[in-house]
Amino acid sequence: MQGKNILLAVSGGIAVYKAVALTSKLTQKGANVKVMMTEHAAQFVPPLSFQVLSRNDVYTDTFDEKESKVVAHIDLADWADLVIVAPATANLIGKMANGIADDMVTTTLLATEAPVWVAPAMNVHMISHPAVVRNIERLYQDGIRFIEPDEGYLACGYIGRGRLEEPEKITARIEEFFQEDKTVLAGKKILITAGGTREKLDPVRYFTNRSSGKMGFQIAEQTMLKGAEVTLVTATRELPIPPNVKAVYVDSAEEMYEAVAHVKEQQDAFVMAAAVADYTPVEVHEHKIKKQSGNLSIQFKRTKDILLSVGETKRSDQVVIGFAAETQNIAENARTKLTKKHADLIVANNVSEPGAGFGVDTNIVTFYFADGREIALPLLDKREVAARITTEISRALDAQHNG
Ligand code: PMT
């Protein structure tokens, strides 16, 4: 972080005191920090605290031009290598999502071309309010990155999600960002599957599973951030598509198979994170099946195995990664899948473990490589698991390239 210019935007919530600690952590790491504050933020902590810790002027008023040779909000916007908004209130997020520029902070945020990160902090009900969710989604699609709020005791007395992430963790994420090579997958085409397929029975019923799509979407985002051209074939429609990722929506295993088959020739790597149905009803009824006395039997047939279809036809310059969702004999089952499906790597998760598998934001995975290596990872955010998978993709592509 040495010598990097970080612009910290502070909006008005009780978590402003943590922004003071963040300023200190960032400057200790060698970053040049400048701070701008909303009027409300300055009611919680005076600008002087930030001025002393950053050893720079603090900006609160668009019309308070400190230097006559430059226009402050443009100068600051151009100066920054990264802008971090912490804490970001619901109000500020709303203004950002709608392009409003009515003070120093919002005007500068519109003027900057630097990456902008937002660390929200607010009451648990506010962060899940549809308007805030909508605004966050919109900003996410505009390419803004978020540092998820933590769960815990909130200043308003509630316990829940909404607490500003700890300054140490924000600092670590920023440090990682400056260290990472953002071009390791430049020019590479990567196809990712995500979500649980839906197998139709009649016009009102289908069979599915508990996959939320979170794991696959995180892989799509992480590979995109490393410069890859990403196609996300998804059976989930609930999650926002990461910026610059091409989404192909599907419902059934058959549709997912077709979507993958259509583009598989052009891909450099595949990551099959979707939970694909192994069976689908033999008959799809044209009309709703009516209640009747006694039991109902439904006959199922096998679906096509998408991972297998990609593994079988894989060229020597393509990398194939599959998942294994297991509840027992993890290593044995994962290794069997690795061989049977001709994959280079199987990412196995024990989906019966707390914090792993379906629906949650974390996962516990073990990598089983075709060359016999094994790497067991601890409980990590799915974002971090996705980052590790991204590193393995880039290593495998490099290894192939170097013969
Ligand atoms: O979506 P989340 O809520 O974040 O949950 C993540 C997850 C648990 C879904 C994910 O981590 C995971 O384990 N995905 C694979 C789920 C699965 O179907 O596992 P499986 O062991 O049944 O299948 C093995 C592999 O074959 C998988 O890569 C699967 O995508 C693939 N497969 C399976 C059947 C089929 N017909 N075609 C396939 O391509």
Side-chain angles (χ1 to χ4, degrees):
M1 231 191 280
Q2 196 68 36
K4 294 290 180 199
N5 295 338
I6 300 178
L7 178 58
L8 172 62
V10 185
S11 60
I14 186 64
V16 173
Y17 75 93
K18 282 191 176 174
V20 177
L22 179 60
T23 309
S24 166
K25 297 262 172 272
L26 293 171
T27 46
Q28 282 172 38
K29 291 274 181 191
N32 305 315
V33 181
K34 290 191 181 178
V35 179
M36 54 181 181
M37 304 175 76
T38 63
E39 236 177 76
H40 293 154
Q43 303 229 356
F44 286 93
V45 172
L48 184 62
S49 305
F50 289 100
Q51 184 184 310
V52 171
L53 285 166
S54 67
R55 297 192 197 98
N56 275 312
D57 287 338
V58 174
Y59 299 78
T60 51
D61 180 355
T62 335
F63 301 102
D64 175 19
E65 294 288 1
K66 297 178 196 301
E67 264 187 76
S68 57
K69 291 201 171 50
V70 295
V71 177
H73 65 276
I74 303 296
D75 193 46
L76 264 188
D78 292 345
W79 171 85
D81 293 315
L82 180 108
V83 183
I84 167 95
V85 187
T89 57
N91 182 47
L92 186 64
I93 289 172
K95 283 190 191 177
M96 288 175 74
N98 290 287
I100 292 170
D102 63 352
D103 64 3
M104 181 67 197
V105 168
T106 47
T107 312
T108 310
L109 283 169
L110 271 193
T112 191
E113 289 196 309
V116 175
W117 289 22
V118 169
M122 64 194 78
N123 164 270
V124 61
H125 299 313
M126 290 171 84
I127 193 123
S128 49
H129 189 285
V132 176
V133 172
R134 208 166 41 235
N135 288 334
I136 287 179
E137 268 184 32
R138 193 186 277 187
L139 287 172
Y140 178 70
Q141 275 160 359
D142 287 348
I144 305 282
R145 279 168 80 172
F146 282 83
I147 298 191
E148 277 291 301
D150 204 4
E151 289 202 11
Y153 180 78
L154 305 175
C156 52
Y158 280 92
I159 293 177
R161 195 167 79 93
R163 204 168 66 166
L164 181 68
E165 184 55 283
E166 293 306 321
E168 294 76 10
K169 288 203 181 152
I170 299 179
T171 308
R173 288 277 298 276
I174 295 176
E175 204 166 19
E176 246 174 56
F177 170 78
F178 282 123
Q179 278 165 357
E180 73 195 13
D181 179 351
K182 293 162 196 75
T183 59
V184 281
L185 291 177
K188 300 294 178 197
K189 291 194 168 70
I190 300 190
L191 184 139
I192 291 147
T193 64
T197 56
R198 292 176 174 200
E199 307 302 322
K200 201 169 160 191
L201 176 65
D202 69 14
V204 299
R205 302 182 180 95
Y206 56 80
F207 293 89
T208 189
N209 56 66
R210 289 173 41 224
S211 171
S212 62
K214 286 179 183 174
M215 192 64 253
F217 274 59
Q218 285 292 350
I219 302 166
E221 176 166 346
Q222 289 303 315
T223 46
M224 173 277 293
L225 288 171
K226 292 284 159 59
E229 197 179 305
V230 180
T231 305
L232 177 63
V233 179
T234 173
T236 293
R237 288 158 202 262
E238 283 73 34
L239 297 176
I241 302 297
N244 305 320
V245 166
K246 181 176 178 226
V248 179
Y249 288 108
V250 295
D251 284 319
S252 64
E254 179 63 26
E255 283 175 23
M256 187 172 272
Y257 173 86
E258 289 299 333
V260 172
H262 189 62
V263 293
K264 75 177 181 184
E265 275 293 302
Q266 301 104 55
Q267 305 303 314
D268 295 292
F270 302 84
V271 188
M272 303 308 204
V276 186
D278 291 321
Y279 294 92
T280 191
V282 169
E283 189 185 352
V284 180
H285 295 258
E286 194 188 339
H287 298 289
K288 184 182 169 194
I289 301 174
K290 289 288 176 200
K291 262 199 299 288
Q292 48 197 331
S293 56
N295 296 338
L296 171 71
S297 295
I298 298 162
Q299 230 196 338
F300 288 89
K301 60 181 180 189
R302 287 292 302 268
T303 55
K304 290 178 188 145
D305 191 318
I306 306 163
L307 175 58
L308 176 66
S309 74
V310 163
E312 269 178 341
T313 56
K314 131 177 125 90
R315 295 189 310 265
S316 60
D317 61 348
Q318 288 179 317
V319 170
V320 174
I321 300 178
F323 269 73
E326 306 292 344
T327 55
Q328 57 183 350
N329 305 329
I330 316 292
E332 193 187 325
N333 291 336
R335 288 236 165 260
T336 307
K337 279 180 183 156
L338 187 68
T339 320
K340 270 196 174 161
K341 304 202 184 195
H342 312 278
D344 297 289
L345 164 62
I346 287 284
V347 180
N349 37 195
N350 179 348
V351 293
S352 57
E353 259 183 290
F358 294 96
V360 288
D361 291 328
T362 51
N363 210 351
I364 309 168
V365 303
T366 302
F367 291 166
Y368 294 92
F369 295 91
D371 62 11
R373 280 178 305 130
E374 247 180 70
I375 301 175
L377 300 179
L379 176 86
L380 295 171
D381 278 354
K382 281 184 175 162
R383 186 188 66 81
E384 184 57 36
V385 173
R388 305 283 182 108
I389 292 171
T390 303
T391 304
E392 296 306 335
I393 298 174
S394 118
R395 280 191 187 139
L397 288 170
D398 272 358
Q400 281 170 348
H401 183 74
N402 299 328

